[in-house]
Amino acid sequence: MAALTPGAAGTLRVHGSIRVPGDKSISHRALILSALAQGSSRIDHILDSADVQSTAAALRAIGARIPAIAPKMWVEGAAGTLTSPREPLDCGNSGTTTRLLAGVVAGARLTATFIGDASLSKRPMRRVAEPLTAMGARIELAPHGGLPMTVEGAKLNGVDHASTVASAQIKSAILLAALIAGVRARVSEPHRSRDRTERMLKARGIDVRQEENAVSIAPAQRLKATNVAVPADPSSAAFFVALAVLADEGELRLTDVCLNDTRTGFLRVLQRMGARIEMLDTREEGGDQVGTIIARPSQLHGIEIEGADVPAMIDELPLFACLATRARGESVVRDAGELRVKESDRIKVIVDNLVTLGAAAEELEDGFRIVGGTGPLRGAISTQADHRIAMSFGILGALPGNEIAIDDPQCVAVSFPGFWTELDRVRQ
Ligand code: S3P
């Protein structure tokens, strides 16, 4: 069903404080590592979304004791007792579920077939199949290199893998396989991707060493059970930061946000564009930086993004594109070919939709070019069932004068089920 999100007539005033839902990357890993630990772990503020439910269901199917997802939950570790599932593991829309659990299945010497929805089935899996095969697993992929994927674990050996893409999912698959198999592994990448797995492993007593763009794990003995308080997701907070920056009046306060520097690339880029954003009350919690973001209406100018900035804001690039249409001058993103293999081909979907709305946008092979303007953006966009496309255009549609119909607003359930309600709550 189409949802129209017309911007209020006149000016946009934002107000209030939001604690967006829990960090998606940390939520997946909290479930996986609690399931693999010895002892019981308490998880607070886990994200209850479709992707995290996919991880919970897949873990249950391999014998982990995962209760219903709840704001406060306990997970009893099932170290050493995991079993091969009877049915294929349906990972829904979630690349993180598929790739991280491929590492778990390989390391735990299980056999499982991974399946998913139409979007996930197209996404590239050779990037995890190759290093896991080099470690000794047997993996069969569909001819296009995607799902269905059957992983047959074995006694694994250590690996030194040089990944050609900066990807936390590849890195995590290898680290998890090595952890469970009790072997050494080292993964290097062209730029540093988000470092959640390594931080969470360290907090559980594992010898993980970080170099500039590489991480290594020593053969592990025992994964300690540890409590986790999941901070708010910076990728979900980003939508409301953008709304406040594009508003005419007021301010928004985003509390309890994970401000780990592998996740704050979007905030740094916005500040370079002239945005009035402050980070307050920053503190160390659970081995990571957490704090409050205050965002206020700002005049933005265009910017170029490439290299190491890209992985630090990879999930925020659709939103950045929408912001760039409202900035003065040209913005260019390069080195972001990975966007083509996310939940949709985000380069094509962003640019096609922006052009439909009347914005000046052009595809590059590994990014896009956008020229900002002030004219109203109006029309109907196609999300391709991609949650971040829906929310990015939702923010643009909330601006006065714009009228944007979104074909599949419910797809936000993948990462932020209450998004539309929050969007209504904070604007007048
Ligand atoms: C994620 C890593 C990123 C990101 C995805 C979640 C994770 O993917 O796009 O939404 O939790 O590890 P890549 O690291 O594969 O780029």
Side-chain angles (χ1 to χ4, degrees):
M1 199 182 63
L4 203 59
T5 57
T11 56
L12 173 64
R13 182 179 150 72
V14 290
H15 63 100
S17 176
I18 315 173
R19 203 264 185 211
V20 297
D23 184 285
K24 185 153 78 72
S25 293
I26 297 176
S27 297
H28 285 294
R29 288 159 174 82
L31 288 178
I32 296 170
L33 294 178
S34 301
L36 295 175
Q38 287 177 12
S40 73
S41 307
R42 176 175 160 160
I43 309 174
D44 289 345
H45 309 306
I46 192 169
L47 167 67
D48 186 357
S49 79
D51 268 13
V52 176
Q53 291 286 358
S54 294
T55 289
L59 284 169
R60 287 182 198 118
I62 60 171
R65 293 190 289 271
I66 308 284
I69 299 288
K72 291 189 192 309
M73 60 189 284
W74 289 92
V75 176
E76 285 301 320
T81 64
L82 298 178
T83 52
S84 297
R86 281 191 296 260
E87 308 281 337
L89 298 176
D90 186 349
C91 301
N93 190 247
S94 177
T96 308
T97 307
T98 314
R99 296 189 178 120
L100 270 55
L101 292 186
V104 170
V105 165
R109 299 206 209 182
L110 313 179
T111 298
T113 297
F114 292 82
I115 57 170
D117 70 8
S119 149
L120 182 60
S121 300
K122 281 194 243 159
R123 296 179 66 183
M125 294 299 157
R126 279 201 187 99
R127 51 181 57 200
V128 285
E130 278 170 9
L132 294 176
T133 303
M135 293 175 83
R138 281 223 296 272
I139 303 192
E140 258 178 55
L141 294 171
H144 67 288
L147 303 187
M149 166 172 73
T150 299
V151 179
E152 198 183 325
K155 183 169 162 23
L156 300 187
N157 42 261
V159 75
D160 189 345
H161 181 69
S163 174
T164 54
V165 287
S167 161
Q169 295 179 356
I170 300 175
K171 180 170 64 177
S172 302
I174 298 167
L175 292 177
L176 288 171
L179 166 80
I180 301 168
V183 297
R184 179 180 310 280
R186 181 173 182 278
V187 188
S188 63
E189 45 187 358
H191 299 289
R192 196 157 152 240
S193 62
R194 62 186 70 180
D195 60 359
R196 299 307 327 176
T197 302
E198 40 275 51
R199 281 178 182 261
M200 292 176 79
L201 285 173
K202 267 192 211 161
R204 286 160 181 74
I206 304 300
D207 181 2
V208 173
R209 307 220 169 145
Q210 281 169 275
E211 303 156 48
E212 178 72 10
N213 293 333
V215 57
S216 45
I217 181 169
Q221 301 297 321
R222 177 172 175 269
L223 186 69
K224 278 194 315 205
T226 303
N227 298 342
V228 196
V230 181
D233 195 321
S235 297
S236 297
F239 296 108
F240 291 95
V241 172
L243 183 74
V245 163
L246 295 175
D248 303 291
E249 292 169 27
E251 66 173 37
L252 285 179
R253 180 176 283 260
L254 285 309
T255 58
D256 210 13
V257 183
C258 175
L259 294 177
N260 169 316
D261 65 2
T262 63
R263 301 296 312 282
T264 48
F266 177 70
L267 298 177
R268 291 193 294 273
V269 160
L270 270 186
Q271 284 173 327
R272 272 160 44 204
M273 295 172 83
R276 297 192 300 146
I277 298 174
E278 279 174 68
M279 282 162 254
L280 301 179
D281 191 21
T282 47
R283 58 201 184 270
E284 178 99 9
E285 252 179 46
D288 223 328
Q289 289 294 109
V290 174
T292 296
I293 306 170
I294 299 191
R296 300 189 175 94
S298 314
Q299 297 296 320
L300 301 180
H301 55 79
I303 196 172
E304 298 203 358
I305 298 175
E306 58 189 5
D309 282 339
V310 170
M313 61 182 294
I314 188 74
D315 290 341
E316 287 70 74
L317 286 168
L319 177 63
F320 167 79
C322 289
L323 272 168
T325 67
R326 307 288 85 183
R328 190 163 29 83
E330 185 181 85
S331 292
V332 183
V333 172
R334 294 196 191 84
D335 301 331
E338 274 297 291
L339 288 179
R340 294 209 182 267
V341 292
K342 292 291 180 187
E343 286 84 328
S344 65
D345 174 346
R346 286 183 173 162
I347 295 179
K348 181 170 167 37
V349 174
I350 290 164
V351 170
D352 283 356
N353 282 323
L354 286 177
V355 169
T356 300
L357 298 177
E362 183 195 351
E363 270 190 54
L364 305 176
E365 204 182 310
D366 62 347
F368 46 81
R369 177 179 290 122
I370 288 167
V371 181
T374 52
L377 299 174
R378 294 188 177 148
I381 68 126
S382 164
T383 63
Q384 304 289 318
D386 183 334
H387 56 133
R388 297 202 199 278
I389 298 291
M391 292 186 276
S392 301
F393 283 87
I395 295 301
L396 214 43
L399 304 181
N402 293 349
E403 278 178 31
I404 302 177
I406 296 177
D407 62 344
D408 182 13
Q410 300 315 327
C411 68
V412 304
V414 159
S415 63
F416 195 163
F419 173 77
W420 300 110
T421 311
E422 286 292 64
L423 184 56
D424 277 343
R425 191 172 70 76
V426 297
R427 65 193 167 121
Q428 288 176 337

